[in-house]
Amino acid sequence: AIACDVRIMEGFNLTEAASGLMGAVEDALKTHLTGDHRYTQSFSEDVQAFVHAIDWRSDLWIFGLFLVELVDVLIIVINRRSWERLATVFMVNTAVLACAERLNSLASSNWKTFSSQDYFDQAGVFASVLVGLPLLLCQFLIVGFLLREAACMVIRVK
């Protein structure tokens, strides 16, 4: 079985594969950041349009959402040396991300009770940007801390 695996890997060049992957990622980023946009000329204009579409004075609940996300980051950083706590935060974040579509539809049907306008479209763009993206960044932060802890454990055992 090992000889079979070696023969399969003989023609594989990791450097070429990584180079091809990086080229594809760069092309995708160029397309999204500088390519044609539906209503604007560039990604920065898209961001400005998104920011200006929000009624920051009336919809203070958005700042509450930012506060919850800031507390999430602080909990992650404070507990960076405790893999048990990081795993718990990771699972909570995962549960929120898994329920994001349902939360978006719930918010879409009840937006008048807490918001001045309906931000919650069927595609979930607003929820993805304000909830999904920060939580995904928190998840990456947790994975980085967990990898660091795993490396430290390997060094201690060695």
Side-chain angles (χ1 to χ4, degrees):
I2 294 174
C4 181
D5 291 339
V6 170
R7 277 184 263 144
I8 290 172
M9 296 297 291
E10 275 179 14
F12 182 74
N13 186 340
L14 183 62
T15 306
E16 287 179 16
S19 174
L21 179 63
M22 289 305 294
V25 169
E26 286 175 5
D27 290 342
L29 283 174
K30 281 182 188 174
T31 300
H32 288 294
L33 296 179
T34 61
D36 291 336
H37 295 264
R38 185 170 290 190
Y39 302 112
T40 60
Q41 298 297 320
S42 67
F43 177 73
S44 62
E45 286 185 20
D46 285 344
V47 171
Q48 287 176 352
F50 184 83
V51 169
H52 289 296
I54 298 172
D55 186 1
W56 296 101
R57 292 177 191 231
S58 300
D59 296 330
L60 297 177
W61 62 270
I62 296 173
F63 292 108
L65 182 62
F66 290 151
L67 182 64
V68 169
E69 292 165 349
L70 179 65
V71 168
D72 192 30
V73 171
L74 289 174
I75 289 171
I76 292 167
V77 171
I78 289 169
N79 294 299
R80 67 184 175 273
R81 300 200 191 283
S82 172
W83 69 268
E84 297 93 349
R85 292 181 191 145
L86 286 178
T88 303
V89 174
F90 190 89
M91 296 308 279
V92 169
N93 286 352
T94 301
V96 172
L97 288 168
C99 296
E101 186 177 355
R102 183 165 288 170
L103 290 171
N104 185 60
S105 64
L106 182 67
S108 178
S109 61
N110 298 307
W111 66 270
K112 290 180 182 176
T113 60
F114 63 90
S115 184
S116 65
Q117 56 184 321
D118 186 8
Y119 296 109
F120 308 99
D121 61 335
Q122 288 286 26
V125 174
F126 183 79
S128 296
V129 170
L130 289 188
V131 177
L133 184 63
L135 285 181
L136 282 175
L137 293 175
C138 287
Q139 298 295 72
F140 284 125
L141 186 63
I142 290 171
V143 169
F145 285 140
L146 289 174
L147 287 173
R148 183 176 172 273
E149 278 300 303
C152 289
M153 285 182 193
V154 168
I155 292 170
R156 274 187 242 133
V157 169
K158 195 174 182 183

